[in-house]
Amino acid sequence: MKRHLLLVVAAVTVVVATAAGCSRGGENDEGPSTASAAAASAGDFGDLTNLCHGGTATTAPAQGVTTAAVKLGVFTDVGFTKNSELVDAAHVFTSWCNDHGGVGGRKLVPDIHDAALMQVQQRMVDACRDDFALVGGSAALDGLGVKARLSCLLPDFPAQVDQVANTGSDLQVGGGSIPGYDSTTGFHQWLLGQYPGSAGAVGLISGDTPITKIAMDQYEESLPQQGATVVYSDLYPAAGVTDWTPYAQALKSKGVKGLIFLGDYAGLAKLEDVLTGMDYKLDWIDTNSNAYTPAFPKLAATSVATQHNYLDLGGTAPLDAQDRVPAVAQVNQLFAKYAPGKVVTLPALRAFVAWTLFVKSADSCGDKLTRQCVYTAATGEHAWTGGGMQAPVEQSPTADRAPKCFNVQQATPSGWKSADFGADTGTFRCDMIAYKLHGDYGKPATLADVGKSINDLK
């Protein structure tokens, strides 16, 4: 199940992340470490040595590639959301990398494609015409453009993916979500272990959107297989709720003890205030990672000390770990230098994971930078961490890619903090046996769907 999707909230629509969720931010309380500053000056990123460096290119072997530059598409919904985090991440990473020579002497040129929610297909046509690959972007309705991308054989290194048709689609490397699994298995088993009395009374509330309704269906399949009983599930209007009292009363009447909320975190904060005012305390609330922003603990200030709010970052290093994860500290340093005043968010970290994967793969191709070469190199990474920003991830589409790692944050009156969830691999816990989904929730698009094969990639 996806846990890393992009939240799009407006007066008339809410497109929510499922696993995926997609957080909007976090705390950046501490300055970068000396080690991270030294790495930034050397062209190293995290534990990736000499990631960006100079050189001399002599050929222009593919669309978007010249002897001087590589043009790379970056998808965003900034025209709709007014949230520039992925544009900021592209600017910061490419500026830093180019200052150290780029990819063997070729500069990285981000080509921003603002899908503005509904223009995914049109912007994909533009990308097919101009770009070498897509890197570090995301669009909430990304499924609308996936067949066009496959038709033009455009590799994709997304920061995160949203819709079923795009999640795990062909020529895509990374993106954080593995189709066919409930990637929250470890997280929810931890919650049920912490609060064993909640297993018999789990509730689901979701925004009435296609993405989150699929997530609801997946949870209703997976949770009983993990020993939980779903006693309540409901949808709320995507346009928003003026009074959360009926939902709070329903949760109380059903005796819900653990709640999974798929939707706008501002709405969740209001629901929690009603519950707290009714003197009804849940054992736990899975806010989904959309709520991983400094705004949520503030919005829920009257309830956050009473209700237990948790979320799963799905194996991406938390923003409060910069004293333990040099790569996170380095991202903060680079933002301070190249985008002062901009906030580092969870999607920005995920974008850096994508950018580093592309650059390492492209660098391995040397002067002969082709799509086939960069895709082959990227899918040859069997434990990719993005310099230390995520738990090791298998990138080969033909290997066992079942998610194994998770990491838990808890909301406190002072902000989001790492919970004591039994981390065993740095800031992650990697003993999860993810539940494999059996229902028909749709399939990712393939090259065969557009009459192509991997042999067409040049």
Side-chain angles (χ1 to χ4, degrees):
M1 179 175 302
K2 298 180 289 181
R3 288 295 298 171
H4 307 316
L5 306 184
L6 178 64
L7 176 66
V8 177
V9 181
V12 295
T13 183
V14 178
V15 179
V16 182
T18 64
C22 215
S23 146
R24 286 304 180 200
E27 291 73 30
N28 302 300
D29 299 328
E30 304 173 31
S33 67
T34 302
S36 67
S41 65
D44 302 343
F45 184 83
D47 59 17
L48 296 169
T49 303
N50 203 30
L51 179 67
C52 297
H53 60 85
T56 303
T58 63
T59 64
Q63 174 183 292
V65 178
T66 68
T67 57
V70 185
K71 194 171 188 179
L72 300 163
V74 181
F75 267 76
T76 174
D77 283 314
V78 65
F80 180 77
T81 64
K82 311 307 178 188
N83 190 321
S84 63
E85 59 195 343
L86 298 178
V87 178
D88 298 335
H91 167 70
V92 171
F93 182 86
T94 58
S95 296
W96 167 76
C97 190
N98 290 341
D99 281 351
H100 294 283
V103 180
R106 290 185 173 105
K107 302 294 186 182
L108 303 175
V109 179
D111 185 16
I112 305 302
H113 298 290
D114 182 5
L117 189 64
M118 296 303 297
Q119 299 174 26
V120 178
Q121 188 168 13
Q122 298 95 309
R123 299 292 78 77
M124 191 64 73
V125 171
D126 296 340
C128 283
R129 181 189 63 225
D130 298 329
D131 300 331
F132 174 68
L134 303 180
V135 184
S138 178
L141 301 181
D142 54 8
L144 299 178
V146 64
K147 287 190 175 181
R149 177 178 66 79
L150 293 175
S151 294
C152 72
L153 300 168
L154 189 63
D156 184 21
F157 295 74
Q160 54 200 27
V161 289
D162 289 358
Q163 294 190 296
V164 172
N166 192 45
T167 301
S169 57
D170 279 353
L171 301 186
Q172 184 183 92
V173 192
S177 295
I178 308 300
Y181 291 94
D182 174 4
S183 63
T184 64
T185 301
F187 171 48
H188 287 147
Q189 288 181 338
W190 177 78
L191 284 172
L192 296 172
Q194 291 292 110
Y195 304 97
S198 67
V202 174
L204 303 170
I205 294 181
S206 169
D208 190 2
T209 71
I211 291 176
T212 50
K213 287 167 72 174
I214 289 174
M216 288 262 291
D217 291 342
Q218 292 174 335
Y219 278 136
E220 289 179 347
E221 175 191 336
S222 66
L223 287 168
Q225 300 304 315
Q226 299 170 43
T229 301
V230 177
V231 297
Y232 171 76
S233 64
D234 202 357
L235 300 172
Y236 71 86
V241 175
T242 56
D243 182 5
W244 284 94
T245 303
Y247 296 88
Q249 291 173 335
L251 291 170
K252 184 176 181 179
S253 68
K254 294 291 185 178
V256 172
K257 296 183 178 181
L259 173 64
I260 298 174
F261 186 87
L262 299 168
D264 174 17
Y265 62 77
L268 175 58
K270 294 176 182 177
L271 171 62
E272 291 190 26
D273 283 348
V274 176
L275 288 167
T276 302
M278 293 169 51
D279 197 26
Y280 189 71
K281 180 180 178 181
L282 296 164
D283 286 352
W284 55 264
I285 299 172
D286 171 5
T287 69
N288 80 70
S289 62
N290 293 311
Y292 190 50
T293 161
F296 176 74
K298 294 176 182 177
L299 288 171
T302 60
S303 303
V304 74
T306 301
Q307 308 292 345
H308 296 151
N309 289 276
Y310 300 94
L311 57 81
D312 175 17
L313 296 181
T316 301
L319 289 158
D320 67 346
Q322 60 179 359
D323 59 332
R324 293 163 284 157
V325 182
V328 175
Q330 189 172 347
V331 173
N332 283 319
Q333 176 205 359
L334 297 180
F335 263 72
K337 179 177 180 179
Y338 294 103
K342 296 291 187 177
V343 177
V344 178
T345 65
L346 181 61
L349 291 185
R350 291 172 176 160
F352 265 66
V353 171
W355 280 105
T356 54
L357 178 58
F358 172 80
V359 169
K360 184 174 185 293
S361 304
D363 186 53
S364 72
C365 297
D367 200 25
K368 306 296 184 183
L369 181 55
T370 65
R371 288 175 172 176
Q372 181 188 56
C373 179
V374 75
Y375 176 76
T376 300
T379 55
E381 294 287 347
H382 302 298
W384 184 251
T385 69
M389 288 187 296
Q390 69 178 19
V393 173
E394 169 64 67
Q395 300 294 5
S396 171
T398 60
D400 176 14
R401 302 183 65 209
K404 298 178 175 61
C405 303
F406 66 101
N407 50 326
V408 183
Q409 292 274 300
Q410 180 174 4
T412 73
S414 59
W416 288 100
K417 304 296 181 184
S418 294
D420 184 10
F421 63 98
D424 57 15
T425 306
T427 59
F428 315 108
R429 180 169 171 176
C430 296
D431 62 352
M432 174 172 61
I433 301 176
Y435 174 75
K436 186 172 179 58
L437 297 162
H438 298 287
D440 182 6
Y441 305 108
K443 296 179 179 179
T446 67
L447 287 165
D449 292 335
V450 295
K452 304 279 187 179
S453 78
I454 193 65
N455 295 326
D456 295 312
L457 187 65
K458 306 299 182 184

